[in-house]
């Protein structure tokens, strides 16, 4: 595992922590969008953008949605934009599968909170990287994740493998994670690990904490296996390519 350095302890209340790192060549292999495509790369952590109370409200949205389904393995996802929901070993479209019952699960206030949080995170990322937030677009997939220590049943449950978001998802230029539960209180394991040459830089989740980073191979990362409890988070990511942008989820 190499040497581990904790970038953000769960007990800390961080205003802003940002570390600049050299960009990988990933961005040279795609069309550049000036004023957005990363020229400054790095990673940041802040506890000052989303409150703990807001994170708890968002977690309740995730809990309600995931109560409709859930994976047979340890990792379940809910994507309010596309409607993708883990169900057993497969995925269903939440909106088609449950139809009008969705109105009993979610409210307009839920989706308004989601939009507000997304906008604040977008502005924080733009500020940290010195770009215009209007040049960034929400991109898919953007999803809630619920992870526990149930044994993996399919490859979708194997969340712990090292990966690069730009390679995995293509459209990502900036990735953010909003944590909705607390490391060591709600779950054990499940820390977020940046895998640098010769060392690991670790983020311990805390409800309301936002971790954000450029999505190229300068930020190879993984999530540790969850040993006990349940870990909730939401991945919200942005592209510089307007053709790959999506709108905010709407309650249909």
């Amino acid at each position: 595992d190499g040497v581990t350095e904790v970038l953000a302890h769960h007990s800390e209340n961080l205003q802003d922590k940002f570390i600049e790192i050299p960009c990988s060549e990933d961005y040279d292999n795609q069309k550049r969008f000036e004023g957005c495509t990363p020229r400054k790369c790095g990673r940041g952590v802040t506890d000052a953008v989303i409150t703990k109370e807001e994170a708890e409200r968002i977690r309740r949205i995730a809990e309600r949605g995931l109560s409709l389904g859930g994976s047979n393995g340890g990792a379940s996802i809910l994507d309010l934009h596309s409607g993708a929901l883990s169900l057993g070993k497969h995925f269903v479209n939440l909106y088609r599968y449950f139809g009008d019952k969705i109105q009993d699960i979610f409210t307009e206030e839920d989706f308004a909170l989601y939009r507000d949080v997304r906008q604040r995170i977008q502005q924080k990322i733009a500020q940290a990287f010195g770009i215009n937030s209007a040049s960034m677009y929400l991109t898919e997939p953007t999803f809630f994740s619920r992870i526990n220590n149930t044994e993996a049943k399919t490859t979708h449950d194997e969340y712990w493998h090292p990966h690069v978001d730009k390679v995995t998802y293509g459209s990502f230029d900036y990735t953010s994670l909003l944590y909705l539960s607390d490391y060591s209180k709600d779950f054990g394991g499940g820390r977020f690990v940046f895998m640098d040459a010769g060392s690991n830089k670790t983020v311990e989740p805390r409800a309301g904490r936002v971790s954000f980073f450029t999505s190229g191979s300068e930020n190879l990362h993984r999530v540790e296996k969850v040993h006990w409890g349940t870990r909730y988070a939401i991945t919200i990511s942005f592209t510089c390519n307007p053709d790959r942008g999506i709108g905010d989820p709407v309650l249909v």
Side-chain angles (χ1 to χ4, degrees):
D1 273 342
V3 179
T4 296
E5 175 191 333
V6 179
L7 274 186
H9 288 271
H10 70 280
S11 57
E12 293 178 281
N13 189 349
L14 292 170
Q15 280 300 304
D16 272 311
K17 187 165 192 173
F18 183 79
I19 297 162
E20 188 171 349
I21 54 176
C23 291
S24 64
E25 295 177 357
D26 297 3
Y27 310 101
D28 300 331
N29 302 326
Q30 63 174 37
K31 182 180 177 185
R32 294 196 73 89
F33 294 88
E34 285 311 318
C36 182
T37 300
R39 291 195 182 277
K40 171 184 176 181
C41 293
R43 54 188 71 145
V45 183
T46 178
D47 296 316
V49 174
I50 310 300
T51 69
K52 203 170 184 70
E53 291 71 30
E54 287 168 330
E56 286 165 358
R57 285 171 59 200
I58 295 170
R59 187 176 77 199
R60 289 196 287 274
I61 299 172
E63 288 169 342
R64 290 200 305 273
L66 285 161
S67 71
L68 300 172
S71 161
N72 289 342
S76 300
I77 70 136
L78 165 66
D79 182 333
L80 288 181
H81 185 272
S82 71
L85 171 70
S86 300
L87 188 66
K89 292 185 177 180
H90 307 284
F91 297 95
V92 294
N93 184 308
L94 179 79
Y95 302 118
R96 284 206 294 267
Y97 199 80
F98 295 99
D100 293 341
K101 291 179 187 168
I102 289 301
Q103 310 281 345
D104 301 327
I105 305 295
F106 304 119
T107 66
E108 290 290 358
E109 288 77 16
D110 293 336
F111 280 64
L113 176 62
Y114 185 101
R115 284 193 298 275
D116 180 44
V117 163
R118 188 272 303 162
Q119 287 164 354
R120 277 186 272 157
I121 291 173
Q122 184 168 345
Q123 286 159 1
K124 180 73 219 172
I125 293 172
Q127 177 196 356
F129 289 101
I131 60 175
N132 183 346
S133 69
S135 66
M136 302 162 63
Y137 303 88
L138 186 67
T139 192
E140 58 186 355
T142 172
F143 57 93
F144 290 104
S145 58
R146 181 185 71 192
I147 304 174
N148 59 33
N149 66 350
T150 307
E151 185 183 339
K153 301 294 193 296
T154 73
T155 54
H156 296 297
D157 299 319
E158 296 181 13
Y159 56 84
W160 53 82
H161 297 299
H163 65 278
V164 172
D165 286 350
K166 192 139 203 58
V167 173
T168 305
Y169 300 113
S171 63
F172 285 26
D173 288 305
Y174 299 94
T175 305
S176 75
L177 293 144
L178 168 59
Y179 296 110
L180 306 176
S181 49
D182 291 315
Y183 170 74
S184 87
K185 182 179 131 191
D186 298 315
F187 62 92
R191 298 184 303 172
F192 184 96
V193 183
F194 291 107
M195 302 176 71
D196 296 341
S199 70
N200 291 333
K201 308 289 195 308
T202 302
V203 176
E204 297 179 348
R206 163 189 169 109
R209 171 167 286 171
V210 178
S211 172
F212 59 91
F213 49 94
T214 43
S215 306
S217 31
E218 67 278 359
N219 280 313
L220 174 70
H221 61 273
R222 67 182 179 91
V223 173
E224 295 175 333
K225 288 186 180 182
V226 170
H227 302 308
W228 58 266
T230 306
R231 177 192 192 270
Y232 283 93
I234 179 168
T235 300
I236 301 175
S237 298
F238 301 94
T239 184
C240 296
N241 184 347
D243 294 337
R244 301 297 298 273
I246 59 173
D248 285 302
V250 291
L251 192 55
V252 289

